[in-house]
Amino acid sequence: MSCIFCDIITGKAPAQIVYQDNDAVAFYDINPKAKVHILIVPRKHIASVNNVESGDQTVLGSLFLAARNIAETQGIAEKGYRLMVNTGSNAGQIVYHLHMHLLGGGVFDD
Ligand code: AMP
Ligand code: ZN
C-alpha cells in the first residue's frame, strides 16, 4: 500500500525537510495551521497510535527529541509550541503514517 510519508522519507515525493536522524524525519506541512507547522514522522511506517508496539518505544521517544531540536532551531522553544498526534477518523487523522504536528509561532485557527 502506498504511503505519502514513506515516499517523502525515501525521497520519492517532494517535501521541505527540516530535520532528520536515524529514527525520524521532519518536514513542513503543506497546509500550515500555524506560522511554524512541521510534521515529525518516524522512518518506520506505523499507521497510527493504535498500531504502536512495545518495540517502538525508542523510535517514538526520538520524535520528542526531534521536536525539541526543531523548536530550538526554529526559535520557538522559549515562547512555546504545541505537539499533536491525531489518531483515527474522529480526531481527523488523514495520513495513516503516525506523525507529530509541531505548531508554533502563533497557531492560526485556535
Ligand atoms: P492528520 O490530519 O493528523 O493526518 O494530518 C495530516 C497532515 O499532513 C495535514 O496537516 C496535511 O496538510 C499534511 N500533509 C498531507 N500531505 C502532505 C505532503 N505531501 N507534504 C506535507 N504535508 C502533507
Ligand atoms: Zn508510511
Side-chain angles (χ1 to χ4, degrees), residues 1-7 9 42-47 95-98:
M1 229 177 76
S2 75
C3 168
I4 181 63
F5 288 175
C6 281
D7 286 349
I9 291 161
R43 287 187 187 275
K44 179 185 176 187
H45 180 90
I46 302 167
V95 178
Y96 279 79
H97 179 129
L98 192 153

Side-chain angles (χ1 to χ4, degrees), residues 27 41 43 69 82 109:
F27 47 88
V41 310
R43 287 187 187 275
N69 208 303
R82 179 176 299 165
D109 50 359

Side-chain angles (χ1 to χ4, degrees), residues 4-5 8 13-15 27-33 37 39 84-87 91-97 99 101:
I4 181 63
F5 288 175
I8 287 172
F27 47 88
Y28 286 107
D29 194 296
I30 41 161
N31 184 21
K33 298 283 200 301
H37 188 172
L39 300 174
M84 200 170 73
V85 180
N86 296 324
T87 304
Q93 186 177 5
I94 294 164
V95 178
Y96 279 79
H97 179 129
H99 51 280
H101 294 258

Side-chain angles (χ1 to χ4, degrees), residues 4-102:
I4 181 63
F5 288 175
C6 281
D7 286 349
I8 287 172
I9 291 161
T10 56
K12 274 187 251 162
Q16 251 188 293
I17 295 182
V18 294
Y19 173 92
Q20 45 188 326
D21 62 30
N22 284 341
D23 292 323
V25 175
F27 47 88
Y28 286 107
D29 194 296
I30 41 161
N31 184 21
K33 298 283 200 301
K35 280 188 194 151
V36 178
H37 188 172
I38 289 165
L39 300 174
I40 308 167
V41 310
R43 287 187 187 275
K44 179 185 176 187
H45 180 90
I46 302 167
S48 82
V49 173
N50 286 339
N51 304 93
V52 164
E53 297 164 350
S54 57
D56 296 329
Q57 284 189 40
T58 305
V59 164
L60 296 176
S62 74
L63 301 185
F64 281 92
L65 285 172
R68 183 201 163 170
N69 208 303
I70 295 161
E72 192 77 38
T73 307
Q74 296 282 328
I76 57 172
E78 191 129 329
K79 283 208 165 173
Y81 50 94
R82 179 176 299 165
L83 299 175
M84 200 170 73
V85 180
N86 296 324
T87 304
S89 55
N90 273 6
Q93 186 177 5
I94 294 164
V95 178
Y96 279 79
H97 179 129
L98 192 153
H99 51 280
M100 180 185 273
H101 294 258
L102 188 160

